């Protein structure tokens, strides 16, 4: 009887334990997860790591940036999970169930922005040579979790990540987007929101088009009327606006925390009507121009024969350079139809020297290649292939921004209510099916610094419209800039983009749902 009683007790205990124990995680396949941009390599081990309320984030390495990134990861994951996810430093491996962020420069293949993500059932380890690589890896972790991770309140879910290893690093050093805040003005919070979306897809440069005929958007203390008067309106005649230097600094610092470099543009000698309305001495006639709220181009020019003009350029570039920690100052130079070439070339030459004087690297639209480029100049190809080749012959580097592929203000098709179509209609497939090294004969991989997708704002007035025109085309351009060409095929991308739809919804991106893509049903509540 005693033996039977013991067997009965053991049987009941075994049944109870089997009912109360955590069920084992289902087998998973990391290679089937959708990650955009597509990583360099992914291998799977068939298990799952589970984020729980006891998970901690450990750091291994030196520097405040490492701790900042760990806190960012906690901030990304805590709202939706409801978990505290404290950050601690460690000298060894993370305990079971935890996350480790590790700086280790022994893996030279990863360079500045690469990372390796090792996911085991008992720990998740993110390794990078530099802090920027860790930050790029955080974006991958976000995409490996259920899309509800982007929600701002606790969600009742199991937070599992498939096990395996991801090794990843970018193809191009410069991966950017441009936002035109001159035609229509966008508030600081809008710019920050765009920065957040760029960071999610591993972009690393935001080019701000700060001045144009319709508005001057940055405070210049030595020429205060530029912003006060020149920035007072916008396309259509509505109230404009400008960034104070403190607000601009706030944007720069916000971007820096997300490893995005701000590239400020002061467009000149054309696209300068807002300046010409503010200070009559910048006009050859000595008379102030009228404020302009239309969308025509090519009618304005600084007085290139006047020394006052160069004092103006020196003052503006000097103040902007002092506020900008990044290496570049963009001097524009495009569509200066009102400036004869015999005046345009010496102006651009002097403007370049002023940029160098203030410790910055020259950046400009492809027309500046008609001038004598200074060392390390960066030329942004948008229209004229001949200008891109001129830049190469002078030793310059090229940013590829072909208007027919990367201009996010172009309509998707003839039915699109927003945007223009002077360059092309650019559907989602067209924005993805192009190879930077094949756009201009003679401009090869070694000449290309990177890719940038401009969004001009003649017809774009608010953040919903920005999102609609930029997404999903900006996602595809981000993949072109990050992923090796051999790993990019439209049919594969089209499928992955469609499966990515729940993440777009969770991020509340007002994207264009192209009929060319089979969008996954939204499971996010």
């Amino acid at each position: 009887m005693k033996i039977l009683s013991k067997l009965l007790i053991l049987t009941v205990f075994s049944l109870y334990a089997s009912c109360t124990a955590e069920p084992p995680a289902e087998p998973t396949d990391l290679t089937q997860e959708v990650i955009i941009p597509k990583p360099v390599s992914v291998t799977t081990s068939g298990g799952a790591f589970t984020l729980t309320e006891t998970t901690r984030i450990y750091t291994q390495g030196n520097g405040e940036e490492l701790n900042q990134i760990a806190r960012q990861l906690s901030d990304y994951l805590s709202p939706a999970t409801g978990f505290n996810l404290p950050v601690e430093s460690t000298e060894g491996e993370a305990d079971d169930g935890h996350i480790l962020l590790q700086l280790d420069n022994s893996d030279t293949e990863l360079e500045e922005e690469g990372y390796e993500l090792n996911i085991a059932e008992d720990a998740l380890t993110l390794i990078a040579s530099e802090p920027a690589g860790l930050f790029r890896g955080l974006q991958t972790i976000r995409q490996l979790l259920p899309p509800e991770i982007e929600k701002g309140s606790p969600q009742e879910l199991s937070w599992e990540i498939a096990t395996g290893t991801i090794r990843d690093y970018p193809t191009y050093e410069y991966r950017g987007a441009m936002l035109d805040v001159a035609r229509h003005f966008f508030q600081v919070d809008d710019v920050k929101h765009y920065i957040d979306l760029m960071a999610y897809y591993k972009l690393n440069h935001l080019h701000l088009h700060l001045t144009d005929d319709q508005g001057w958007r940055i405070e210049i203390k030595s020429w205060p009327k530029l912003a006060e008067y020149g920035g007072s309106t916008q396309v259509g005649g509505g109230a404009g606006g400008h960034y104070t230097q403190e607000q601009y600094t706030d944007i720069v610092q916000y971007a820096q925390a997300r490893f995005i470099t701000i590239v400020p543009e002061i467009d000149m000698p054309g696209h300068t009507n807002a300046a010409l309305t503010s200070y009559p001495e910048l006009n050859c006639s000595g008379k102030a121009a009228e404020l302009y709220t239309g969308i025509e181009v090519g009618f304005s020019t600084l007085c290139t024969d006047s020394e006052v003009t160069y004092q103006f350029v020196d003052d503006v570039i000097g103040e902007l350079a002092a506020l900008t920690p990044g290496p570049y100052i963009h001097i524009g130079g495009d569509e200066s139809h009102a400036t004869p070439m015999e005046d345009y070339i010496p102006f651009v030459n002097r403007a370049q020297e002023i940029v160098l004087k203030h410790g910055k690297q020259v950046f400009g639209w492809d027309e500046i290649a008609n001038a004598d480029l200074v060392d390390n100049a960066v030329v942004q190809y948008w229209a004229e292939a001949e200008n891109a080749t001129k830049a190469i012959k002078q030793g310059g580097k090229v940013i590829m921004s072909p208007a027919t592929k990367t201009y996010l203000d172009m309509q998707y098709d003839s039915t699109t209510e927003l945007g223009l179509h002077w360059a092309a209609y650019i559907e989602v497939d067209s924005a993805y099916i192009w190879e930077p090294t094949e756009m201009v004969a003679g401009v090869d991989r070694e000449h290309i610094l990177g890719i940038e997708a401009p969004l001009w704002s003649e017809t774009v007035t608010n953040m919903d419209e920005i999102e609609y025109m930029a997404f999903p085309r900006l996602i595809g351009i981000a993949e072109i800039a990050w992923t090796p060409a051999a790993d990019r095929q439209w049919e594969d991308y089209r499928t992955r983009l469609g499966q990515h739809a729940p993440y777009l919804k969770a991020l509340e991106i007002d994207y264009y749902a192209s009929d060319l893509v089979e969008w996954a049903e939204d499971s996010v509540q």
Side-chain angles (χ1 to χ4, degrees), residues 61 81 278 337 429 443 445:
T81 62
S278 305
H337 306 318
D429 59 343
V443 179
R445 174 65 188 88

Side-chain angles (χ1 to χ4, degrees), residues 368-414:
I368 72 166
N370 289 293
D372 302 317
L373 295 180
V374 296
D375 290 344
N376 299 315
V378 177
V379 171
Q380 188 164 5
Y381 163 66
W382 70 282
E384 295 295 333
E386 181 183 3
N387 290 336
T389 56
K390 284 180 181 178
I392 297 306
K393 290 176 182 177
Q394 294 190 67
K397 288 286 188 178
V398 175
I399 295 293
M400 299 300 291
S401 297
T404 57
K405 294 294 184 180
T406 68
Y407 270 33
L408 302 177
D409 54 300
M410 293 297 105
Q411 293 169 284
Y412 291 96
D413 58 31
S414 61

Side-chain angles (χ1 to χ4, degrees), residues 78 157 161 252 302 361:
S78 292
L157 287 176
I161 299 178
V252 167
L302 294 170
Q361 192 172 343

Side-chain angles (χ1 to χ4, degrees), residues 183-216:
R183 270 52 176 270
H184 281 98
F185 180 65
F186 301 102
Q187 299 294 333
V188 171
D189 285 346
D190 290 331
V191 178
K192 288 181 176 180
H193 179 65
Y194 203 54
I195 288 169
D196 284 334
L197 298 181
M198 290 173 57
Y200 187 75
Y201 296 103
K202 301 184 176 74
L203 295 169
N204 67 354
H205 287 79
L206 174 59
H207 169 184
L208 287 177
H209 184 74
L210 291 169
T211 68
D212 214 297
D213 292 314
Q214 300 85 352
W216 186 285

